Structure formats: structure tokens, C-alpha cells
Amino acid sequence: MKTPLDHLTNKLYMLLINGIGLTIFFVFGAFTFNNLSDWVLGYALIGANLLLTHFRIQMPPEGNSMSMDSAVYLACLFYFDIQIALSVLFYTSIIQFIYERKTAWWVHLYNFSIYSIMIYSSYFVFQWTNGSVGNIHLDSLYSYVIALTWYFMINALLIMLYFVTYEKKNNAIKMFKGMTRGTIESYVSTLILAIVLVLLFQSEPFFGLMLFVGLALILSFAFKQHFKLYKDAARKANIDQLTGLFNHGYTKELLDKVFRESKENHKPLSIAFIDIDDFKKYNNGNGHLKGDKLLEELGKQLGKSVKDTGYSIGRFSGEEFVFILPDTTAETASSFIDCLRKTVNDTYYDGVELLPYGCLSFSAGIAQLHPEIVTPSELLSKAAQAMSYAKMQGKNNTHIFGNEIEEDRLEAPIEEIEQQLNILLAKDIYTYRHSKRVYKYAVEFSQLLDLKDQERKQLILGALIHDIGKVEVPREIINKQGKLDYHEWEIIKKHVTWGHEIVSSNKKFESIAPLVELHHERFDGKGYPHGLSGQEIPKLARILCVIDSFDAMTTERPYQRTKSFPEAIAELKACAGSQFDKDIVEPFVRYIESTYPLTTETVDVL
Amino acid sequence: MVIDGIILSVIVGFIRKGNLSKLTQPLFKWGWMFPLLLAIQLGVFYFQNKVEWIGQASGYVYIIVYVLGLLFLWVNRHQKGLPLVFVGVFLNFLVMITNGGRMPVSAEAAAGLDPMYMEAIKNGFYAKHELLTQSTTFAFLGDIIPVGPPYPRSQVISIGDVIMNVGIFLFIQDLMLNKDNENSHISYESSDLKGGEIQ
């Protein structure tokens, strides 16, 4: 009922009810009790009511609860008189008003008013049906029943009227249906309890009231336990035991729900399908127990990442997880997942040394809901496809569905080059992924440049294979953690020459050999292997040099800080004219800024 | 009555699997005030019928003790239950200060008590209390609630006493159970770690 009073009819209604309620109190109730023993009785009744309303009996399913304070008011009416009942109500309400400050004052006032109306009118009905105050008369038991029925009818009516005047009618009807469900039981039990309490009042007022409240409290605690068990069971049914995330069944259920809502309200929805990289390798190397431990820890971390966001995450199968991101576009989802990926990369898990990156990583596929997608499983399968694509790009990667590079335009040689490149996959995963990314930039960037078809193809293939010479560099040097010494640098530098030799060995690729050899030449002539400068360097090699450097700067490695896109762009600009060709840097920067706007804006936050 | 309340609270606390380990930490701001007020009260109670001027000043002394007690509760009001104790003490204070520094006792309610007790009140010997009459203001705040069987000790208490005891009960429950929660949390964490080490 915590809503602002902005409907006129509702205001008038509240005014009317509160007016009636207060009038009843001032006419029939009193601020004080008649004598000291009534005061003592009043204290006991007020205390009982406060306890009963505080420890309501909670009943599953959620939201249902029962308070026995009505039984106390009714017993007061039947045994004492209306003045005591109203005064008890008044002080109880005052104390509740002070105690429950979270509830708005007008809610307290309204509750007080409807109670006083209920109490007064059922008192009236009780008298009218020949009920007599005091000891119970079994021959006029019907008057107790009628008075109590009246009490509940007035209650339902007044609550319903509140909603009728405040909201739409069907809401009130829904509300009324909710109220009447299970009402018979609570109505009958309140009646029985009220009569029991009257009988107790007859013999031992204070001790009887104490017993009554004690019973109610014990019931309240018992039901609370019961309710807790119920909730635990319900929770367990939806939670994956190992990771503590939602399980497969519940994730699907949740996705169905969110999917439907997003469709109806035309709101964006993205889902991210993630899969741990090389989990099998981890399991084989460390044993399944440790694998489970890893899943458990990762589950905790993933669960933490969605805390305080509107996102949910479930464990979909073995090492697969699904994020549901309502109200989120694919781009936002992607940067969220990428940020998470970096955190996971940077977190040390026991035994990850075995993995190719030396850290835990995952590949993620993201799919956004769009009008043509009709079922949740379609969306899910799109995300799964994107995830597979991300895996193909060398893992530890996030990919948005629909952004795949169209490879068919590049024709046959690419497959052969891919085969060459796969050698790197086994030896130097970083170079493999670097090549894949440079290739991707080259595909996109070349479309924006004024290049002949043949040149475009050369650039793309060259980008893919440009570091192939690194297969000749010893593993110790490639994977060395610290700074390289002079001698080692010389060997690294040789990769361009070795690459040139490898590529030249195949007639088909002769045309891209210069790219492989010359992509480390600098515009100012300080590069290697030949120290060419300016226009002496082929145009394609100059382009490749810019792309290659940009990716090298922004490449992320676990446990290391990555240069952000804006920082890398600044660096490119600073070196334009010296290290790089100015005429290439400019369009490249424009290309990056327009294609990856989100990354260039938010990367600082990440 | 206060002692009864404390004992009962501690028993309930133990039943609820609480413990008293929190008592080793400083609980109150101005904690030294507590024994001081107690000492003053006991002193006045002991000497008021022996030393004349103490007997005459006793009403004022009790008022000062109450004011200091209220102050003490106020600075500790962030502790659970103490605001209720404050309210209870204040109600007692209110009825005492409006009736000349003595707590009015209802003769009707005290009917079941030891007659000696009533005699003492009537003669004004019993410190802090006096008989409730027609002219008593805020009579409903006085000692009008008879407590008797099944309760083992017969006495008359005020609504302020009841509220105060509820406050003390909440305070002790909070004291005994919260600490326990922290403990169980820690033990959970460490068992978790052990599970990791076995592997």
C-alpha cells in the first residue's frame, strides 16, 4: 500500500474512512481506562496485540501470513466492552506507528480506521443478534458467528474499496480473489480462537491471555521453520550444488520468462554463452576433484559479478555458463563479459599453469534479441554459435553473433595459410591469437581503404601469416617472462627473415612475402631487417605495420595491465610521421573509433 | 524484578544457543556510571532510616540517580533494547517526579503481598515507594500490576518496569546471540579452507 495519494477519488475515500474511524473512536473509545485494574488489563491486551502482530504466522506460499490480533479484539468485544477494545486498538496503533517508521503515516491511520470500523460494526451486529457481552452463552452461539462474519466482510470490503478507488478495477478484483483464497480457514480459526479466548478470560484473564499468546508465538515459530524449509527446498531445486549458480532447468525457465517480457515490452535482451577454455586439459592434468574445485571457485566469482546488477547467471552444463542480461545491448554485454574475462584471467586458480595461457580463461558468445528470433532456444543457439566462433579465433575471446568475417570473398589460399598458422597454435598461442586479430583488423580496415582487389587480398593474407617466422624462434625466448637480452632480441628480429623464407617456399604466396619480411620497417628508417624508409617500404607493409603495432599495444595478457584503446590511439598519433606513415595512421584511427566506439569510451572504467 | 528479568533473559539466551563471551568486551559508553549509581542507591537505602538528612534528601537523590541513569541510557541508545529500557525508566521517572520522588504503589494490587511490605510503605520507611491515593497523578504508571502465581515471587510492578524488562531481554538476547553468529560464520569459512587443503 506504499503508493502516493494522487487519485482524487482515493483521497476522498481515505478521508471518509479515516473520518468515520476517528469518529467511532472519539464517541465509543477513550484515551484512558476506567480504573487501575482496567489499566492493567489494557496493558496486557496491548502487549499481547503487539506480540501477535510482530510475530505473524507466516504461511507458504509467499506473502501469506496470519495475525491473531483480530481474535483478541473480538474476544474483547465479546467479553469486555467496546471501549476497552477501541482503547487497546488506539494504543496498539500508536506504538506501531512509533515502532514501524518505514510504513507511511497514512497507512497507519487507515489501518486504525478500518479496524475501528470493523470493531464497532461487528459489536453492533453482535448486540443486534441478541449477543450479550460477558460469559459465553452457548444458545446464542450464532451471534458470535454472525458478528465475526460481518467483521471479515467489512474488512474485505474496505480493503477492496481502497484498491477500487486507487487503481483499475481488475486489479481490485485480482486483489479480492487473492484475499478470499484461503480466507475460510483463517476466518474459522480466528472465530474458534476468539471463543477460546473468551472462555479463558472467563476463568483466568491474565493467565489465559498469556497462554494464548504463548501458543500463538510457538505456532509462529513453528510455521517460520516450516516456511524456511519450504524456501530452502524451493531454492535447492533451482540451484546448482557445485557452483551455487542457477541450474540448467531454472536458467531455461528464467530465460523463457525474461525472453517473453523483453519481447512484450520491446526491450533489448542479450545473453552470453560462456565456456571455460581447455577445461578437459585442466581436468586431465589435475584430476576431477580439482576440476570441481575450480568450477566451484569460478562459480563464486561469476556469481559475485552479477550481484547488484539485473543480470542472472546459470550453470548450463559441465563447464558452460549462461548469462541472461535484460535491458542490455550486445555491445554493453560484450564489454561486461570482456571485463569479467580479464578479471578471470588475472585471478590465480590452483593448477592453471597447465593451461596454454597459464591462466584460467573462457570463450564467450553473445547474442542479442531481435525481432526475427521467435524462441528462447534460437537465441541460445545463436549465442552458442558465437561462442564456437570465439573458440575458433583462438579462445579467451568474446564474440557477438552476426559479426563474423565473411571469408568466402578471400577464396582458397586462406585455408592453406590457416594450416601454416596452426603450427603456431601449438607453439605460441599468443602469436596465434595476435595473428587472428591482426587479420580481423586487416579485413575490416582494408574495406575502408582505396585498395585494388588484389592488394586487399594480399594485405589480408599477409596479416594472417605475417608472424609465421616465429615458429623458428626457440620456445625459451618466446615464453621468457622477464626482459630479453640483446642476443635474444637479435633472434626475435630474425623472425621476419625466416618468415620470408617460409612463405617464399610456396609459389602461391610469393606475392605476400614482402609483407612478411617488411612489416617491422619504420617510416623513419630505424626498423629492421633492412632499415628502409618512407616510400621505399611497400604501402601494404606500412599498413600492416600500423595494425600490427596497434594490436601489440592493446594485446591483453593475464596478470598484466593492457594499454587501452584510447591510450594506443594516442601512441599511434604521437608516432605518426616517425615510426608510422601519417597517411595510414589517420584513417586507421578513424576506423578504430567508429568500429569500436564502446571500447574506446569505456575502456578507462574497465 | 530487574534481576529476575536478567536471569530469565540469560536462560532464554542459553536455550537459544547463545553465549556470554561478548561480556569480555566493553559494552557501554560511560560504563563506570553503572556501579556508581548502584552504590549511591544502596547507600541511601541503607542509611536513610539511620541518618536523618539522608532520609530527607532521599527523594532528590533518587531523582538525580534517575536523571543520570536516563543520560547513561541515552548515550548508549544505539544498542539494541536500550531505547526500550530508556522508555521504561522514563515512565517510572515521570510518575515518581510528579509524586514527590516516590513510586506510588496500589494497595489493591499489593493486597496479595506480605503485609509487612504494605506496613512499611504506609509508614514511609520503605525507600522509593509510597501508597497510591486518589490524588496521585499518572496513577496508571505506578506500581499497579500484581505479579503472583504462577510466577514464583509475588510483587507489584509498573508498566515502566515491564517495558524496561522487555528492553533488557532484547538487549541480552542480542548480546548473547549476535556474537554466536559471527563465530559460526568464521568456523564455516575455516572448514571450507580445510576442504581445499585435503585435495
Side-chain angles (χ1 to χ4, degrees):
Chain A
M1 295 229 285
K2 228 177 178 179
T3 30
L5 285 166
D6 45 6
H7 299 244
L8 185 66
T9 49
N10 188 249
K11 272 185 182 170
L12 287 174
Y13 168 72
M14 296 282 279
L15 212 62
L16 179 73
I17 294 298
N18 290 340
I20 296 175
L22 289 172
T23 310
I24 288 174
F25 173 72
F26 282 114
V27 174
F28 298 98
F31 290 109
T32 64
F33 295 93
N34 287 330
N35 51 49
L36 288 181
S37 59
D38 275 3
W39 267 106
V40 177
L41 180 72
Y43 288 148
L45 291 168
I46 293 166
N49 270 350
L50 287 173
L51 277 174
L52 291 175
T53 43
H54 188 260
F55 296 100
R56 301 177 73 87
I57 297 176
Q58 212 168 14
M59 289 184 281
E62 241 152 290
N64 265 355
S65 68
M66 192 176 124
S67 157
M68 292 188 191
D69 59 336
S70 286
V72 173
Y73 289 127
L74 287 162
C76 268
L77 276 187
F78 297 150
Y79 190 71
F80 304 112
D81 62 11
I82 186 162
Q83 193 198 329
I84 287 193
L86 285 175
S87 301
V88 167
L89 170 69
F90 175 74
Y91 284 108
T92 310
S93 304
I94 291 282
I95 293 169
Q96 274 170 344
F97 173 70
I98 296 169
Y99 181 66
E100 288 167 27
R101 255 170 281 173
K102 271 185 201 151
T103 315
W105 63 270
W106 55 268
V107 173
H108 283 293
L109 182 60
Y110 183 69
N111 283 339
F112 169 75
S113 299
I114 60 175
Y115 264 93
S116 63
I117 293 174
M118 277 145 56
I119 289 172
Y120 171 71
S121 62
S122 27
Y123 184 70
F124 181 77
V125 168
F126 182 62
Q127 300 255 322
W128 188 61
T129 53
N130 296 326
S132 63
V133 173
N135 289 356
I136 286 215
H137 294 282
L138 291 179
D139 49 350
S140 61
L141 202 59
Y142 62 90
S143 57
Y144 294 98
V145 178
I146 294 170
L148 187 90
T149 315
W150 183 258
Y151 183 90
F152 273 91
M153 271 166 53
I154 294 290
N155 180 302
L157 184 75
L158 292 179
I159 296 280
M160 195 173 77
L161 276 176
Y162 171 84
F163 283 99
V164 169
T165 55
Y166 183 71
E167 281 171 76
K168 289 160 221 138
K169 279 204 178 78
N170 44 358
N171 242 353
I173 290 166
K174 211 190 261 175
M175 179 76 202
F176 189 69
K177 274 186 184 159
M179 271 184 70
T180 47
R181 202 189 312 133
T183 299
I184 295 297
E185 293 90 322
S186 69
Y187 156 72
V188 174
S189 56
T190 311
L191 173 69
I192 295 173
L193 287 167
I195 293 174
V196 166
L197 193 54
V198 172
L199 285 171
L200 288 169
F201 278 157
Q202 265 172 242
S203 55
E204 277 286 341
F206 292 100
F207 190 58
L209 189 63
M210 215 174 83
L211 286 183
F212 181 80
V213 172
L215 200 64
L217 293 193
I218 287 170
L219 273 181
S220 166
F221 285 124
F223 271 90
K224 209 183 205 170
Q225 291 293 328
H226 182 62
F227 191 65
K228 213 180 127 206
L229 282 176
Y230 164 83
K231 260 171 67 179
D232 269 4
R235 201 184 68 89
K236 267 191 193 132
N238 295 334
I239 292 288
D240 173 58
Q241 286 276 302
L242 187 64
T243 56
L245 307 173
F246 293 136
N247 60 19
H248 181 93
Y250 187 72
T251 309
K252 278 197 131 170
E253 211 173 281
L254 192 68
L255 180 62
D256 278 0
K257 199 178 122 220
V258 177
F259 186 89
R260 227 178 314 117
E261 280 171 6
S262 303
K263 271 243 149 179
E264 273 169 22
N265 305 327
H266 301 286
K267 278 186 171 168
L269 162 70
S270 296
I271 64 169
F273 195 101
I274 76 173
D275 184 291
I276 303 176
D277 294 331
D278 301 298
F279 185 63
K280 211 177 227 169
K281 214 176 256 178
Y282 183 91
N283 252 345
N284 289 343
N286 296 307
H288 285 271
L289 272 179
K290 235 174 177 178
D292 280 356
K293 189 80 192 160
L294 178 82
L295 286 176
E296 197 185 320
E297 279 175 36
L298 181 68
K300 260 187 213 158
Q301 194 173 20
L302 296 181
K304 221 185 271 166
S305 75
V306 295
K307 218 176 162 194
D308 304 323
T309 64
Y311 305 155
S312 336
I313 176 165
R315 182 182 180 200
F316 209 63
S317 69
E319 74 265 25
E320 289 173 337
F321 301 87
V322 168
F323 276 93
I324 300 172
L325 309 109
D327 267 332
T328 307
T329 60
E331 286 73 26
T332 320
S334 169
S335 67
F336 171 75
I337 296 290
D338 263 329
C339 177
L340 179 66
R341 199 166 51 79
K342 179 72 181 152
T343 332
V344 170
N345 286 168
D346 289 348
T347 312
Y348 176 75
Y349 294 89
D350 194 21
V352 286
E353 297 81 4
L354 277 177
L355 297 175
Y357 289 101
C359 70
L360 188 70
S361 67
F362 61 77
S363 303
I366 288 164
Q368 188 182 341
L369 175 66
H370 64 92
E372 282 120 72
I373 299 179
V374 190
T375 63
S377 53
E378 248 176 276
L379 187 65
L380 207 55
S381 97
K382 288 211 155 74
Q385 278 175 43
M387 192 276 296
S388 305
Y389 187 85
K391 285 252 182 203
M392 260 160 48
Q393 299 305 308
K395 302 177 183 167
N396 198 10
N397 219 332
T398 306
H399 183 74
I400 300 174
F401 182 82
N403 289 4
E404 292 79 16
I405 293 166
E406 295 166 42
E407 293 183 356
D408 50 7
R409 276 191 256 162
L410 296 169
E411 295 153 30
I414 191 119
E415 279 180 18
E416 279 173 58
I417 289 200
E418 281 260 29
Q419 276 169 14
Q420 298 263 4
L421 198 63
N422 277 340
I423 304 170
L424 277 174
L425 185 60
K427 182 167 178 181
D428 178 7
I429 183 80
Y430 291 108
T431 306
Y432 175 82
R433 294 237 302 125
H434 164 71
S435 305
K436 281 276 191 177
R437 277 194 306 267
V438 171
Y439 160 74
K440 185 173 153 230
Y441 290 137
V443 171
E444 289 170 353
F445 184 44
S446 63
Q447 281 163 354
L448 307 173
L449 290 174
D450 187 22
L451 292 177
K452 291 189 206 101
D453 247 19
Q454 183 58 29
E455 285 176 327
R456 213 175 82 78
K457 229 164 100 181
Q458 273 177 25
L459 177 67
I460 291 169
L461 294 179
L464 194 56
I465 200 113
H466 73 280
D467 270 343
I468 190 70
K470 285 206 177 149
V471 295
E472 301 280 344
V473 180
R475 266 174 200 263
E476 301 85 70
I477 300 179
I478 285 181
N479 294 326
K480 189 171 173 185
Q481 290 285 332
K483 230 177 168 178
L484 296 174
D485 61 32
Y486 176 78
H487 171 70
E488 287 163 338
W489 249 119
E490 285 307 304
I491 294 176
I492 291 269
K493 278 179 174 180
K494 287 231 173 79
H495 81 272
V496 287
T497 322
W498 291 329
H500 180 253
E501 281 162 17
I502 294 168
V503 174
S504 311
S505 64
N506 190 332
K507 270 266 177 228
K508 264 194 214 161
F509 304 135
E510 253 187 339
S511 63
I512 57 174
L515 269 173
V516 175
E517 189 183 11
L518 302 175
H519 71 270
H520 278 296
E521 293 291 358
R522 290 171 53 131
F523 202 66
D524 54 10
K526 289 179 189 163
Y528 61 91
H530 303 301
L532 303 177
S533 69
Q535 306 295 326
E536 289 173 354
I537 313 166
K539 183 173 155 200
L540 294 182
R542 274 178 279 147
I543 297 173
L544 184 56
C545 175
V546 172
I547 305 176
D548 183 41
S549 307
F550 179 75
D551 186 66
M553 284 189 272
T554 55
T555 293
E556 51 177 287
R557 292 201 172 204
Y559 319 118
Q560 267 176 35
R561 176 161 150 57
T562 311
K563 210 169 233 171
S564 69
F565 273 34
E567 284 164 352
I569 287 172
E571 179 90 23
L572 282 185
K573 280 182 182 163
C575 299
S578 58
Q579 189 175 351
F580 309 115
D581 184 349
K582 224 199 289 185
D583 298 336
I584 294 165
V585 169
E586 269 171 40
F588 183 75
V589 167
R590 251 180 288 131
Y591 146 70
I592 288 288
E593 280 174 346
S594 63
T595 317
Y596 302 96
L598 210 71
T599 331
T600 46
E601 277 163 22
T602 58
V603 89
D604 284 341
V605 189
L606 306 180
Chain B
M1 187 62 197
V2 175
I3 300 293
D4 296 15
I6 291 173
I7 293 171
L8 185 74
S9 309
V10 173
I11 292 171
V12 172
F14 278 124
I15 291 172
R16 292 176 70 191
K17 291 176 192 147
N19 59 52
L20 284 170
S21 54
K22 212 179 177 181
L23 286 181
T24 55
Q25 301 161 12
L27 293 173
F28 302 109
K29 276 185 211 165
W30 299 9
W32 49 266
M33 215 159 164
F34 210 57
L36 180 73
L37 294 180
L38 201 68
I40 295 176
Q41 283 211 49
L42 285 175
V44 172
F45 184 71
Y46 185 72
F47 288 113
Q48 64 181 348
N49 296 326
K50 292 174 185 161
V51 184
E52 196 182 335
W53 67 267
I54 292 183
Q56 278 165 353
S58 66
Y60 300 102
V61 173
Y62 284 131
I63 286 172
I64 291 167
V65 165
Y66 265 83
V67 170
L68 291 178
L70 283 171
L71 205 64
F72 168 74
L73 289 168
W74 181 253
V75 296
N76 288 294
R77 66 187 178 280
H78 57 276
Q79 300 245 40
K80 196 170 178 190
L82 293 196
L84 267 186
V85 179
F86 180 88
V87 171
V89 173
F90 178 75
L91 291 180
N92 281 347
F93 173 67
L94 187 68
V95 65
M96 283 174 83
I97 200 169
T98 51
N99 292 293
R102 305 241 163 185
M103 176 57 102
V105 183
S106 156
E108 193 190 343
L113 298 184
D114 189 346
M116 286 284 286
Y117 177 76
M118 265 332 279
E119 275 310 298
I121 290 172
K122 275 180 194 159
N123 298 333
F125 284 133
Y126 196 77
K128 274 172 81 176
H129 295 87
E130 67 175 16
L131 202 64
L132 193 146
T133 61
Q134 283 295 326
S135 60
T136 303
T137 42
F138 295 122
F140 61 92
L141 293 180
D143 279 351
I144 58 168
I145 305 173
V147 179
Y151 192 74
R153 284 190 334 139
S154 293
Q155 51 193 324
V156 188
I157 57 172
S158 68
I159 187 67
D161 292 337
V162 175
I163 294 173
M164 196 166 81
N165 274 293
V166 172
I168 290 172
F169 179 79
L170 293 179
F171 173 70
I172 290 180
Q173 296 304 305
D174 185 57
L175 198 73
M176 291 181 69
L177 291 166
N178 261 16
K179 177 76 185 169
D180 187 56
N181 287 346
E182 277 165 37
N183 271 345
S184 70
H185 183 66
I186 291 164
S187 65
Y188 166 77
E189 284 281 305
S190 59
S191 75
D192 202 15
L193 280 179
K194 261 180 222 148
E197 282 160 11
I198 288 166
Q199 290 152 28

